[in-house]
Amino acid sequence: MQLTVWTYEGPPHIGAMRVATAMRGLHYVLHAPQGDTYADLLFTMIERRDARPPVTYTTFQARDLGSDTAEIFKNAVAAAYERFRPEAMIVGASCTAELIQDDPGGLAKALALPIPVIPLDLPAYQKKENWGASETFYRLVRTLCGPRAEAVGKAGRRPSCNILGPTALGFRHRDDLVEIRKLLDALGIDVNLVAPLGASPADLGRLGEADFNVVLYPEIARATGQHLQKTFGQPMVETVPIGVAATIRFVEEVAAIAGVDPAPVLSGAPSRLPWYSRSVDSTYLTGKRVFIFGDATHALAAARVAATELGFKVVGLGSYAREFAREIRAEAALHGIEATITDDYLDVEAAIQASAAELVLGTQMERHIAKRLGLPCAVISAPIHVQDFPARHSPQMGFEGANVLFDTWVHPLMMGLEEHLLGMFREDSEFHADASPSHLGPGHHPVPPPSAGEGGPRVSEGRERGAPGPERSPPHPPAPQAPSPAEGGGSSGAANSTWAPDAEKELKKIPFFVRGKARANTERFARERALPLITVETLYDAKAHFGR
Amino acid sequence: MNAHAPLTAFENERGLEIRQERGQRAVFCGLTGIVWLHRKIQDAFFLVVGSRTCAHLIQSAAGVMIFAEPRFATAIMDERDLAGLADMNDELDAVVGRLVARRPEIKLLFLVGSCPSEVIKLDLSRAAQRLSRSLAPDVRVLSYSGSGIETTFTQGEDACLASLVPEMPAEAEQAEPALLVVGALADVVEDQFARIFSEMGIGPVRFLPARRAGAMPPVGPNTRYLLAQPFLTDTARVLDERGATRLAAPFPLGAEGTTGWLKAAADAFGVEAGRFAAATAPGLRRADQALAPYRAMLTQRRIFFFPDSQLEIPLARFLSREMGAELVEVGTPYLHRGHLDREMALLPRGTRIVEGQSLDAQMDRCRQARPDLTVCGLGLANPLEAEGLATKWSIELLFTPIQGYDQAGDLAELFARPLVRRTRLEV
């Protein structure tokens, strides 16, 4: 059993729902207990879809367990076919139905419906949402894609590709798709098919007609892309075009495969990010300490953009996608850090605290953590809430996506002049050292100092909790009253050094967003030298030692 | 799709058409009750023993308030547990140990059963006893089931409160008759009712659940209880077993329901008519004043209820009698005929009540009737709006103070708002 406060991914059948809901003409019959229809509102509320997901649930109850739940399932499949007349159907079980072992695939097959019925085997106690989406998409394509069309008449037509990966409930999938279509069109490449989003089962039969595949979201479409590569020999572009450099690389790769000239697309200044980032107003962004967490695709992309396009320092990188752990670890190594590969929210919390980051780029869950620690935060990856399905065009991919990234990531930071003034003057009643950035509303205050009240024990919880595990490496020994790294006050969390009152006071003169780092460095400095008392001198000795 | 056809339809002695339906049900499971219960009992923690689906459900349902440190979590069972590689009781003890260390302020821990834990018959009540012993005296551990196979939405609160009843202290011998109000109410509503009862001279008045785990009220043969919510079947039964007596009443929704509810207590405690009138008059006057502007918006509006919380019948009664609305269909996930007797007596003859659900069939009826307002869950609301039907999402009725005189206007406003909004939007 695993203690779970928040979960980064839903169960695998949610992934299957994301594929079914993305498509047209496909229906999903899910053997599930009453109550599992909550999943509908992910689509109707968070993504604000205007139709019910194409999912029929058996919604069995306890009284049904005594009788024939298999019969209930068969009736549901038959009724769903009659009512919705889909082109194809997927059938499967949720976690509870998996326990009662009714064999949805076999039962549905026995009905001999005149359409393809694809059984899904999604082990709910081992796998999660993205795996479920990937597996579902792969099964659908395996079953439904027709033979490879001969590349006849290729000379007379534009090259074409499939775009694989966008689903329902995907982070900015809608707008990423617009950007990628724009790029491909400008390169003179046709889009044969986008799938799963907007495709019908019949459409999947035409996948073989394209010259190559673009895999936008490897979590969802890598398996399918590899299958198509193996079966049809279709090359696959898997460079995720998030950020300016990645987009340029993507364009070059696609152009090379398609045999077209990338120069017209890359000429000029296709994105504003490079100039914005070079303009002197951005100088203060240099070396900002950033912690990055999310799915693998977005976390990897964010790390590269943060380091090489915005000039941040990546002090933490991690993902809940264990399937991509190797890539994440390799990227983390480039930044000289160790990757945080975990789906345990509490481990992420501990890692963020330990990193003394000034900015967190993460998921909805990291917003919780950042809020508690009083850190600026921007969302770069699912899981996400309703505000990250915006009405406006907000891609992450392509050149326009890079513009969006610049605005979104810089916005939560204190603006340059304010940051300077805070470093010089501290006693202002309005712009005092612990005040939130004045361009953000009063709702953006960092959490109050965890002096005695609720904040204190809570903040230390993650650390205490994080201590025992072998994979976790808390930099501070556990301390019951350890203050948040984002904040000065309170007693010291160091094991064997205490802060002299005047040193503590001096520490408070450091702007709050770097104070955590200063505190950690000073305590480390004192620990390494076995200094029992941290004085003002120690603080400045440590500053000189570590630089910034 | 459990069965295709409606099972039975008959007209009861009140002239109501009561129909039962089985099939696909678009409802929440009882785990959802945690979302408000964990705020009501301030030092309680809810640990769901279930799957990733359960954890995902609660965090989805918790919606807007997920930025607060929640007092709930899930012990997710994994393959090792199911394959018997790990002893589930040992695993559970370890999880609880970590949790209690992390949250030392917890005084009451609920182990909440889910579909997976019920299907594999993990005995949470024994686990609760065992953990209570090992964590005593700091933490008391109780268990109940919020599984979808056994409970629908608000029935989770029923199961939770029913698990608390054996924990309530016995009332003192020769205790005076005391009034117990049962069902989680907004703090502000609780305080209002306490004031009115005090003006009527009724006392002591206590509330279940109490706001603190250590302050659960006593119960015994001199306890008279009023249900504040219509979904408390099991809680009422176990209160009866401890000798308490239920006061039959309508539910305190709208002015009429509130008066009827208070009157049941007044009668049981021998409050004189004059004193009752004096205590209720200011509330009635204010409710009347607050309801007036909404009456014009809701009168003769045709309303359709999908089943959700069991609040549907009292709400339908309020809308039809006080607001002049017409009832197309009143769906309820479960109909307790005894507890809702006073409510059903007030419904117009011919009202169609549907207990249970066959989702597609019910949606067909709704589309055909084209009601002016459809009360339904969030899975259906936007799709029906897109079809041109005005909807009121029903879960809000559990998250908003709606009981009592001073909330009557707010209650009406909840139904009027979607209609008003439609008149405002010009795009």
Side-chain angles (χ1 to χ4, degrees), chain A residues 44-340:
Chain A
T44 62
M45 297 303 294
I46 295 180
E47 203 179 9
R48 292 186 220 248
R49 284 184 170 258
D50 61 2
R52 290 189 56 230
V55 182
T56 296
Y57 305 79
T58 52
T59 59
F60 56 82
Q61 294 174 267
R63 60 183 174 197
D64 301 316
L65 293 177
S67 61
D68 197 352
T69 49
E71 194 61 29
I72 291 173
F73 180 79
K74 276 168 70 173
N75 291 340
V77 173
Y81 175 71
E82 278 308 313
R83 174 173 284 268
F84 299 105
R85 295 280 167 173
E87 285 176 34
M89 225 187 242
I90 49 179
V91 297
S94 78
C95 51
T96 303
E98 187 181 331
L99 297 173
I100 60 177
Q101 299 188 327
D102 275 336
D103 183 21
L107 292 167
K109 199 174 167 196
L111 288 171
L113 296 179
I115 54 168
V117 177
I118 299 142
L120 297 176
D121 187 15
L122 308 176
Y125 298 92
Q126 290 171 37
K127 303 290 189 180
K128 289 177 286 192
E129 177 177 333
N130 281 333
W131 185 88
S134 172
E135 172 72 6
T136 303
F137 187 38
Y138 168 71
R139 290 284 152 202
L140 278 166
V141 168
R142 251 192 86 123
T143 312
L144 298 171
C145 74
R148 173 82 159 119
E150 291 305 315
V152 283
K154 197 178 171 187
R157 64 172 176 85
R158 303 204 321 169
S160 77
C161 69
N162 300 309
I163 300 178
L164 305 179
T167 63
L169 215 64
F171 177 60
R172 310 291 167 88
H173 288 195
R174 177 196 69 192
D175 300 337
D176 284 348
L177 191 53
V178 172
E179 289 306 308
I180 298 308
R181 278 179 175 281
K182 227 188 280 175
L183 284 177
L184 292 168
D185 189 55
L187 286 167
I189 298 168
D190 284 335
V191 175
N192 175 57
L193 185 65
V194 177
L197 193 62
S200 70
D203 288 338
L204 296 186
R206 298 192 293 105
L207 279 168
E209 293 171 17
D211 298 317
F212 65 101
N213 290 308
V214 169
V215 172
L216 285 189
Y217 307 101
E219 277 94 340
I220 290 160
R222 174 182 285 177
T224 300
Q226 285 169 339
H227 169 72
L228 292 171
Q229 193 165 31
K230 211 169 71 188
T231 320
F232 294 153
Q234 285 171 328
M236 164 167 102
V237 176
E238 214 191 3
T239 298
V240 176
I242 297 179
V244 176
T247 301
I248 291 171
R249 210 162 62 239
F250 172 84
V251 167
E252 287 170 346
E253 281 179 36
V254 164
I257 287 181
V260 297
D261 180 11
V265 173
L266 301 180
S267 65
S271 172
R272 282 182 283 271
L273 181 145
W275 168 240
Y276 270 52
S277 201
R278 280 173 196 280
S279 77
V280 294
D281 187 56
S282 298
T283 312
Y284 82 110
L285 300 177
T286 313
K288 281 267 182 221
R289 301 170 57 83
V290 56
F291 188 98
I292 297 169
F293 194 84
D295 66 18
T297 302
H298 290 88
L300 284 170
R304 291 164 191 158
V305 173
T308 62
E309 300 184 21
L310 289 171
F312 292 155
K313 179 174 171 57
V314 178
V315 295
L317 174 63
S319 176
Y320 54 81
R322 290 187 185 279
E323 297 90 336
F324 295 79
R326 211 166 44 163
E327 284 142 285
I328 297 277
R329 287 207 173 93
E331 181 69 26
L334 295 179
H335 300 275
I337 51 176
E338 203 166 311
T340 307

Side-chain angles (χ1 to χ4, degrees), chain A residues 373-540:
Chain A
L373 302 180
L375 294 173
C377 178
V379 171
I380 58 157
S381 160
I384 39 179
H385 206 56
V386 63
Q387 63 269 44
D388 280 301
F389 286 95
R392 67 180 183 278
H393 184 56
S394 337
Q396 303 286 291
M397 290 185 172
F399 295 119
E400 179 60 22
N403 297 339
V404 172
L405 295 185
F406 183 90
D407 291 345
T408 310
W409 298 4
V410 173
H411 176 80
L413 296 169
M414 177 91 57
M415 290 168 77
L417 176 61
E418 190 166 340
E419 187 177 307
H420 282 297
L421 293 177
L422 276 176
M424 292 177 65
F425 313 109
R426 293 179 189 86
E427 307 303 325
D428 189 285
S429 61
E430 193 180 347
F431 302 99
H432 55 87
D434 293 312
S436 59
S438 66
H439 71 288
L440 303 175
H444 290 79
H445 277 287
V447 257
S451 45
E454 295 194 297
R458 275 187 199 167
V459 166
S460 65
E461 283 154 14
R463 192 174 294 175
E464 286 175 349
R465 156 79 186 57
E471 285 184 15
R472 305 169 189 119
S473 51
H476 302 287
Q481 284 298 323
S484 148
E487 204 287 326
S491 59
S492 164
N496 41 20
S497 309
T498 44
W499 285 77
D502 58 338
E504 190 83 50
K505 246 169 102 180
E506 196 72 12
L507 180 68
K508 284 193 175 175
K509 294 176 187 169
I510 298 169
F512 72 89
F513 41 83
V514 286
R515 198 182 302 153
K517 184 66 192 167
R519 172 185 284 280
N521 278 348
T522 309
E523 287 173 358
R524 190 173 136 204
F525 183 83
R527 205 162 43 241
E528 283 167 0
R529 284 155 190 75
L531 304 174
L533 186 72
I534 296 173
T535 63
V536 176
E537 291 299 309
T538 324
L539 179 66
Y540 286 114

